[in-house]
Amino acid sequence: SQQGEEDPQALSIQEGENATMNCSYKTSINNLQWYRQNSGRGLVHLILIRSNEREKHSGRLRVTLDTSKKSSSLLITASRAADTASYFCATDAGSAAGNKLTFGGGTRVLVKP
Amino acid sequence: NAGVTQTPKFRVLKTGQSMTLLCAQDMNHEYMYWYRQDPGMGLRLIHYSVGEGTTAKGEVPDGYNVSRLKKQNFLLGLESAAPSQTSVYFCASSYIGTLHFGNGTRLTVT
């Protein structure tokens, strides 16, 4: 079963515009992470936000976390064609062994030049 | 600096055949994972390991076996492949909670 559900499933924007995608999850978490996957490649870690944090920035990325609503959002500002990829949220429930992550279904982002 | 390396990159099997997917990491990470990725399903955890000589079941372990004889290697085995195991398989390793992924093995079972 998927812990995280991303919305929308797909997003098409023009270069320079902002892209926002949301993630909802079901159970308590230790942290939430966002990953990017380019076509035919493995996932690459983008940013981690802990359960006691509300907002985090990394370059053109801004992540928010609302634990009361069990939701997170990822904002990519001033998008570039190179941002075309699938984006996944992943939750860490803080289990004692393994730092296991549960991934959502992803949001496919197309940035048109 | 290779990171996580998966072999092979592609494989076609016939139903009932067996194979082993190899994952190697050079980052001295304790934890390693095998996920499968299917369209619209995200990634689902098959098996994982918290250290050399240990393995544990994930969300979808049936039909797969794993071994972690050396810290840097994590093997995923399919004893009798089925069409439902057609998927892209990703290996990952971690140290402090963020995962480092290989580039995947695309497996087709006919």
Side-chain angles (χ1 to χ4, degrees):
Chain A
S1 61
Q2 291 175 222
Q3 162 77 308
E5 301 271 347
E6 280 98 336
D7 171 59
Q9 290 187 337
L11 182 60
S12 180
I13 57 174
Q14 292 293 137
E15 205 164 26
E17 294 180 339
N18 295 342
T20 300
M21 59 210 85
N22 303 297
C23 170
S24 60
Y25 57 91
K26 298 172 185 173
T27 63
S28 297
I29 61 170
N30 187 40
N31 66 69
L32 184 144
Q33 304 178 30
W34 286 91
Y35 288 78
R36 183 188 72 229
Q37 183 181 34
N38 291 95
S39 180
R41 308 284 288 182
L43 281 71
V44 174
H45 178 258
L46 293 176
I47 196 165
L48 179 153
I49 186 164
R50 301 189 189 286
S51 59
N52 61 352
E53 297 175 310
R54 292 298 167 258
E55 187 170 315
K56 205 161 183 180
H57 296 255
S58 177
R60 294 183 295 110
L61 305 180
R62 172 179 170 252
V63 169
T64 63
L65 179 65
D66 187 334
T67 53
S68 67
K69 295 181 179 179
K70 291 187 170 58
S71 67
S72 173
S73 68
L74 171 67
L75 168 67
I76 306 172
T77 60
S79 62
R80 306 167 180 168
D83 294 327
T84 293
S86 291
Y87 294 81
F88 294 87
C89 68
T91 53
D92 182 350
S95 60
N99 294 122
K100 294 175 290 180
L101 297 185
T102 303
F103 286 83
T107 293
R108 295 188 311 278
V109 175
L110 172 64
V111 181
K112 294 179 281 188
Chain B
N1 190 5
V4 178
T5 303
Q6 292 184 234
T7 53
K9 291 182 170 54
F10 302 94
R11 186 73 187 267
V12 178
L13 287 179
K14 294 186 177 179
T15 298
Q17 287 184 322
S18 64
M19 76 163 295
T20 300
L21 283 68
L22 173 63
C23 176
Q25 53 99 0
D26 61 3
M27 296 171 283
N28 202 35
H29 288 169
E30 287 293 336
Y31 300 161
M32 295 188 75
Y33 314 84
W34 276 106
Y35 284 89
R36 61 177 287 173
Q37 183 176 34
D38 302 293
M41 298 290 289
L43 279 77
R44 292 181 291 169
L45 182 64
I46 304 171
H47 286 281
Y48 65 100
S49 168
V50 299
E52 181 179 313
T54 74
T55 63
K57 294 180 180 179
E59 181 187 353
V60 288
D62 293 343
Y64 305 95
N65 56 76
V66 287
S67 64
R68 183 101 181 268
L69 298 179
K70 294 182 178 181
K71 186 177 184 178
Q72 63 268 34
N73 295 337
F74 195 29
L75 279 64
L76 177 71
L78 286 73
E79 290 186 347
S80 180
S84 61
Q85 293 178 305
T86 292
S87 187
V88 182
Y89 292 86
F90 286 98
C91 176
S93 68
S94 77
Y95 172 61
I96 53 172
T98 59
L99 270 58
H100 299 255
F101 283 85
N103 283 323
T105 295
R106 185 174 295 275
L107 175 66
T108 301
V109 183
T110 61

